[in-house]
Amino acid sequence: AVHEGQVVSAQELKVLLQPLFTQNSRTLVLFLQDRLSIDDFTYFSESYGNRNPFQNEILQSSPSSLVLPAVDCKATRDLLSVLQESGDWKLTNVTNLNISHLEVNPSNPNLLVVQLQPLSSDFKEISTLEAIAENDKIIGRVTMDLQERGIHFSVIYTALRPSRVSRRADVVAGLRRQLMAAEEEDSLSYPPLNVTTGNSTCILFYASNFSLKANRSVLIDLTNATFLTQNVDFSASECSDSNTTLSLKYTNPVNGISSLEIRFIMTNKFYAASARKWFTLDSVEIVQDGEKSSKFNVSSISAPAEYSFHCQLVGTSNLYPARLVPFNNEEKNWDVFISELQIQGFNIVNNQFSYASDCTGFFTPGIWMGLVTSIILLWILTYGIHMIMQLTTNSRFDDPKGPALSVPQTE
C-alpha cells in the first residue's frame, strides 16, 4: 500500500511497475508532462465547478489501476530509460497525436511516448486549467484510437516535477530551488546542455521549460529533446573569447516542420565604465526548414564575464523580466517560453556554472514601495514630533485666594 505523504523512490517504482513487463499486454503508453501533482486532480475539479479539466474515465474503466501520491523526481526523470532497459521495446515518439497510421504490432513490445504541452507558460491559473484540459483531450484521443483498433495497452501518466510543493518549513528546506552553481545538486533539475571544444566546456545551457509556439497555435516543446533525450544537434555551435553562438538543431520537432534551428548569439566585451568585461546575449534567431529566419533582440540579459546568467522567465511576453523583442512584424508569428533559464558562454571552470547574476535586481518594485511608504510615514512622524515640540504652556497661573493675575501685553 502506498500511503498519502509517502514519496516513492526509484527502486520502489521499479517494483511497482514490474507487472507491466510480465502481463500479456505488450503495448505501453507514457504520457509525460512538465509538472503535475496529485492535488491538481481535486483542486481544479473543485475550484472551477463544471469546468473540470479531467473528463477521461480511463482509471474507472481500467480493470486495474495504481495511483501514486508522490514519486521522487529522479525516478520520474529516469523513467523512460528504466522502461527501455526493462525489455526490448520498440520506442515511438508520438508527435501528431494520431496513432491510427502507426504500425503497432500487439505481439511485440511497443513503447509509445507522448509529450504533453507544458503548464508553466503563463502566470494565470486559468491558463494552467486550459492546458490540463487540452492534455486530457490528448490522452483521451490516443487511448480511444488504441481501443478502436482492439489493442490492449497500459498507460502511465506522470510528470518531471511536482506542481505543488509542501509549505512546511522542514520540507521546504529540502525542496527549495537553488541555482546550478550550488555544490548540492538540486533534486528537481537535470544536467545542463554541455557544449565542448576539445577537452574544455565552452557553453552551458539549462532551462526547466523550453517551448516555442508557431503561428500562435502549434506548440513545440523542446525541453526533453534538449536536456533529457538530447535529440538535438549542437555541432554548429561556435566558441571564442569574444563571440559565442549556441546552435540547437532539431529534426522533425513537430508535424509540419522538418527542421528547426535556434541560435543564441553572445558577445564578451570590455566596458571602461565598469573597468571589466561583461558578456551579453545579443539576439536569438529561429530558422525554420533552413529558409524562414526570425530574429529577436534581447533585453536585460547580461552579466560579468566570469559569471553565468539566470532568470526565472524569459520569452516574448511583456510580463517576463527578460524579454525577447521581435526584430520586425514577421517575427511576431513566434512565441518563446523559457523557464528557469541559466546560460554561460565564457570562462567556464570545472564544467560547472559560475555564480549566477539574476535578472531580478536587488531593488524590486515591492522593495521600492516599502521604502517610499516608510519614508512617508517617517516624515509624518517627524512633522508631528516637531509640532508637539512647538507647543508652549503658561509660566504663571491665577490664584483664586490672591489678587487677580495681571499679564502685561508684552508678555
Side-chain angles (χ1 to χ4, degrees), residues 57-113:
E57 297 181 355
I58 187 170
L59 282 177
Q60 290 78 3
S61 61
S62 172
S64 63
S65 61
L66 174 66
V67 178
L68 303 179
V71 181
D72 184 75
C73 294
K74 188 177 184 303
T76 56
R77 191 165 62 242
D78 300 335
L79 178 60
L80 183 58
S81 60
V82 170
L83 294 175
Q84 290 179 285
E85 294 173 357
S86 62
D88 188 17
W89 299 91
K90 178 185 177 183
L91 178 63
T92 304
N93 289 298
V94 181
T95 56
N96 59 1
L97 307 178
N98 182 9
I99 67 168
S100 58
H101 70 284
L102 294 179
E103 296 180 0
V104 180
N105 187 356
S107 60
N108 296 327
N110 299 280
L111 177 57
L112 308 179
V113 180

Side-chain angles (χ1 to χ4, degrees), residues 30-45 53-54 59 66-73 76 79 116-120 128-129 131-133 135-136 139 155-166 188 208:
L30 174 62
F31 293 100
L32 196 59
Q33 203 163 270
D34 65 331
R35 55 187 180 94
L36 180 71
S37 292
I38 194 71
D39 296 338
D40 292 336
F41 291 89
T42 55
Y43 175 80
F44 288 106
S45 61
F54 301 101
L59 282 177
L66 174 66
V67 178
L68 303 179
V71 181
D72 184 75
C73 294
T76 56
L79 178 60
L116 301 176
Q117 67 173 334
L119 310 183
S120 53
T128 303
L129 175 71
I132 291 180
N135 289 341
D136 187 72
I139 295 175
V155 171
I156 298 178
Y157 180 29
T158 187
L160 297 174
R161 57 188 176 94
S163 59
R164 304 181 182 275
V165 182
S166 173
L188 301 182
S208 61

